[in-house]
Amino acid sequence: MTIDLRSDTVTKPTKEMLEAMYTAAVGDDVFGEDPTVNELERKVATLFGKEAALFCPSGTMTNQIGITLNAGPQKEVICHKDSHIYLYEAGGIMSNAHASVKLLEGAYGKISAETIAEHISPDDVHACETTLLALENTMNKGGGSIYTLEEVHPIKELCSSQGIKMHLDGARLFNALAVTGDRPSDWGEMFDTLSVCMSKGLGCPVGSLLLGSKKDIKRARRIRKSLGGGMRQAGFLAAAAIYALDHHVQRLEEDHARARAIGELLDVHPSVEEVLPVQTNIVIAKLSVIPEEMLGKLAEMGIKAVKFGKDQIRFVTHLDFTDHMLEELRSRLQNLS
C-alpha cells in the first residue's frame, strides 16, 4: 500500500462526488449559461458575504487575477517572503500584473501590522506605490499556520487608512476556519478579494473561486479569459465543489488530528531536529540529514512526501488518508533508521 502525503491535491473524487458530477446540469460558462457554475458562484459568494464570485481552474489563477485587479506597473505588492504567490506561481506577479514585490519576514510565514507599517512605500516620486497587501491562510511554508481575526483586524485598519487593497490567498482557508470556528463572512469583511480552493482539503478534482465586488468580478472575467481560463461546460467540476461544500467541510478536523499524530511520530525520530507546530493538515519536519536521503528511504517503504527547503520535508493529510493508513505509517516509521 502506497501512502501518498505529498499534498492534499492528490485525492480522488468520492463515489458520491462522482455521482453529483455525472448528474450535473451544464451549459457554456463563458456565455454565463452553466447553471451549476452559477449556483456554485452564488453559494460561495453568499457564504463569505461577498457580492460575486468567479470559478477558475486553479488557485494560482484566482490569486493572479486578484493581484492583477489591484496592482500593476509601478505598483507594489507586499507579502511574506515565503508566500505561495511569490514562490510557487511561476513569477506571475511580474508576468501578469507587471508589479513589484516587497517581501517581509515573520514567524511561521505570518506578518504583523507593525511590520507592514514599516515597509509601506512613501509618497515619493522615487518609490513604487504600495497598492496591495496579500496574506495567506493557512500559511503553507509556515507549516499550515493560521492567522486569527485578532491578528488581521489591525492589518485591515492600517491598509484602509493607507488606501491599500487586501487579497487573501485562502487556498486552505476552510482548514483554518475548522480550527478557529470563525464565520466565513468574518473573513470576507477583511479582504477586497479572496481566493478559496476546492481541490485541496475539500477533495475536489479541479477548481478555485475568486471572491469580490461585482465590479471586480466583472473585470476578473476579462482577465480570466486573457489567461485562457474561460471554461465551457464547467458545471461538472462545479458540481463536485458544491458537493464538497455540503459534505467535506465538517470532516477537516479528521485531517488535522491525523497530521498532529504524524507530527508526534516525527518529533521523536532521530533524523528529525524539529517539527513546526502542527495546527492544521500540514506537517513540516526539519532534518539533521539531507532531505533526499530521508525521502529516498521513505519511498522505499511506500511513503511519499516532498522536499520543502534545504533541510525540510513536508507531509499533508487529506481526504484519502485514513486511520488505517496512519497506523501503517506509524509502523513503517518505527522501522525507518
Side-chain angles (χ1 to χ4, degrees):
M1 175 177 59
T2 299
I3 300 174
D4 193 343
L5 295 168
R6 290 172 297 169
S7 176
D8 43 7
T9 60
V10 302
T11 58
K12 304 295 194 299
T14 64
K15 178 181 178 181
E16 294 80 8
M17 181 181 284
L18 284 171
E19 181 63 26
M21 296 170 70
Y22 290 149
T23 59
V26 298
D28 190 321
D29 181 49
V30 175
F31 289 127
E33 296 175 355
D34 191 299
T36 309
V37 171
N38 294 341
E39 179 186 352
L40 172 65
E41 291 174 345
R42 286 193 298 268
K43 184 181 183 73
V44 180
T46 300
L47 184 64
F48 284 89
K50 305 304 283 187
E51 289 183 340
L54 181 66
F55 188 45
C56 294
S58 70
T60 293
M61 184 174 287
T62 48
N63 279 332
Q64 290 302 314
I65 294 172
I67 293 166
T68 303
L69 284 170
N70 296 303
Q74 299 182 319
K75 309 297 183 183
E76 178 180 79
V77 181
I78 292 179
C79 62
H80 193 280
K81 68 180 182 62
D82 291 333
S83 294
H84 191 281
I85 62 169
Y86 177 70
L87 290 180
Y88 300 122
E89 298 189 4
I93 297 175
M94 177 277 294
S95 62
N96 296 314
H98 307 292
S100 182
V101 185
K102 184 172 287 180
L103 304 175
L104 305 188
E105 300 267 1
Y108 303 116
K110 302 196 301 180
I111 49 180
S112 67
E114 291 76 14
T115 302
I116 295 164
E118 293 172 359
H119 292 89
I120 295 173
S121 293
D123 184 11
D124 186 292
V125 69
H126 302 91
C128 190
E129 182 185 2
T130 303
T131 60
L132 180 64
L133 170 77
L135 302 182
E136 185 176 330
N137 197 24
T138 67
M139 182 62 188
N140 186 15
K141 289 283 283 186
S145 58
I146 297 171
Y147 276 100
T148 65
L149 283 172
E150 288 73 20
E151 291 170 323
V152 176
H153 273 123
I155 296 174
K156 174 66 173 177
E157 292 176 1
L158 170 67
C159 288
S160 295
S161 70
Q162 298 294 317
I164 297 170
K165 299 289 187 178
M166 290 178 61
H167 173 75
L168 179 66
D169 175 0
R172 295 181 176 90
L173 181 55
F174 286 104
N175 290 88
L177 296 176
V179 175
T180 64
D182 299 328
R183 297 174 302 176
S185 58
D186 293 334
W187 284 84
E189 290 178 5
M190 293 293 103
F191 295 86
D192 297 279
T193 54
L194 302 88
S195 166
V196 293
C197 186
M198 301 291 111
S199 61
K200 293 188 172 68
L202 298 190
C204 293
V206 176
S208 291
L209 291 104
L210 180 69
L211 315 178
S213 67
K214 289 181 179 178
K215 180 179 178 181
D216 278 346
I217 297 304
K218 182 178 180 180
R219 287 183 59 209
R221 290 186 183 278
R222 187 184 298 272
I223 299 170
R224 183 185 70 171
K225 185 64 176 175
S226 73
L227 295 174
M231 298 182 286
R232 301 299 178 173
Q233 287 72 34
F236 296 114
L237 300 174
I242 292 170
Y243 181 87
L245 289 167
D246 291 341
H247 298 92
H248 290 173
V249 174
Q250 296 301 320
R251 59 153 306 279
L252 288 172
E253 176 51 34
E254 298 175 19
D255 295 342
H256 299 172
R258 292 175 187 128
R260 290 191 294 269
I262 294 173
E264 292 169 1
L265 292 172
L266 293 171
D267 197 41
V268 298
H269 194 277
S271 296
V272 175
E273 289 187 356
E274 178 188 6
V275 176
L276 271 60
V278 181
Q279 291 185 281
T280 50
N281 69 325
I282 296 176
V283 185
I284 295 179
K286 182 178 180 181
L287 307 178
S288 58
V289 299
I290 61 172
E292 289 82 0
E293 178 181 333
M294 174 75 101
L295 291 171
K297 292 180 178 179
L298 289 170
E300 290 175 1
M301 307 176 82
I303 301 169
K304 294 183 178 182
V306 295
K307 182 179 177 180
F308 218 54
K310 66 178 182 179
D311 58 359
Q312 295 179 334
I313 59 174
R314 186 191 74 171
F315 301 78
V316 184
T317 58
H318 49 74
L319 179 68
D320 290 350
F321 180 65
T322 64
D323 284 334
H324 173 68
M325 290 179 176
L326 175 60
E327 291 310 308
E328 183 64 28
L329 178 71
R330 187 188 307 276
S331 175
R332 295 182 193 182
L333 286 179
Q334 288 174 348
N335 295 318
L336 178 66
S337 60

